[in-house]
Amino acid sequence: MTTIRHPTAQSPGSVLGAAPDVTESAAAYRATGGYADAAGPDELLRHLEASGLRGRGGAGFPAAVKLRAVRERGGAPVVVANGEEGEPGSVKDRWLLRARPHLVLDGLVHAAAMTGAVRGYVYLSDPEAGARVRRALAEHPSPLPVEVVETAHTYVAGEESAVVRRIDGGPALPTAKPPRPFEKGVGGAPTLVANVETLARIALTAARPGLRERIADTTLVTLSGGTTGAVLTEVPYGVPLRTLAALQGTPDAAGALMGGLFGGLVDARALDLPLEPDALAAAGTALGCGAMRFLAAGTCPVSVAADAVGHLAAESARQCGVCVSGTGAIRDALDALAAGSAGPDTAARLHRWSQGLPGRGACGLLDAAAYTAASLLRAFPDLVPHHLDLPCAACAARPQAGAPGRLTVAVPEVMDVAVSATAPAEATATPTARSPLPALKGTP
């Protein structure tokens, strides 16, 4: 089960909100300042530029730059709320669509106003989230025509060109770039594809521009690892990774798998790094989608790397030959290491692939596989030679290679207001599991 942890002192600029385990109604959202216009489109764009808000989809690109790029193309732009969460270790986007659909829709409308968009889409793969978004649109009809588009849940389905392709009626598979969606997207129109948490922070900034820095410098994170349940929480930039490991229940972590499957492995020394995109990038890792899997005592990084690349290989779109062969080769090498049956040239081959494969696929999946291998060699250089003759105890206990679900985190339960309104009192009196978050030191 995934537990929702919330700060003891609720901030009016919080995406997590005051009741993260209940779907927020339109009336409740309006009561806290939602659907407000404290800042017009031009002023809001200036606030977003001044705050430095980064996209929360994984790349961390400045939100205002993407908005301006679409706006400056002219024509009749399109805006898309991207809630397709392909990273197995992340649950924030699906939770957000289930719990706070009005916050996302409000942000979508503001994004449309800033770009001049004439229509919008909410793109997702979670049927439960889709139902709650549709009900939210019925509760509070949008001034912008908005359509909910569902897709199958895959690792690559949330890549922005795959989003455009699926909305246009094709498969949710990436395409070669250029053009990028801001140049030619849905129906050939300039298109903003924005992560749902990014849009949520845009809506909060529109309602409370005086809190713009706090809104921009706080983020949702999904924490998992060991035998302790996963945690979804909201924290300020600057919090040490070690503090988050303790919060999740892995205080003795030997390292972490960062950014979902895109930030690679880091060792225990890296846990003293602050949760801040630039600081993490400078250290050779990434915040990505905010998912961190901490390596508990008795967990072998070789097995974690093998599981990560195994997942990527299984999720390949299979439309780029180099991706199919490259991810497969890295997977097989890591599986052999975990089994203690790798050849003496395994480290050299992993190093060669990690250097030569990035950038050769239509999306970032191959890059993620190559970087996972590179990070294992860099963060845990002694482990590879020690696994050549026989597996360590942790790897020996690893389930059969290819077994699904080892990196998957469950979405927190969010009580449906439509159900709770008619359910007996005793059935609605106990919310889903959540507990207060200890005070965390970091950028406010």
Side-chain angles (χ1 to χ4, degrees), residues 26 28-37 103 106 140 203 207-208:
Y29 181 60
R30 285 191 293 265
T32 59
Y35 293 122
D37 290 317
L103 182 62
D106 195 5
H140 184 94
R208 300 173 178 84

Side-chain angles (χ1 to χ4, degrees), residues 312-324:
L312 290 167
E315 290 288 310
S316 170
R318 311 197 76 77
Q319 60 181 7
C320 299
V322 67
C323 178
V324 174

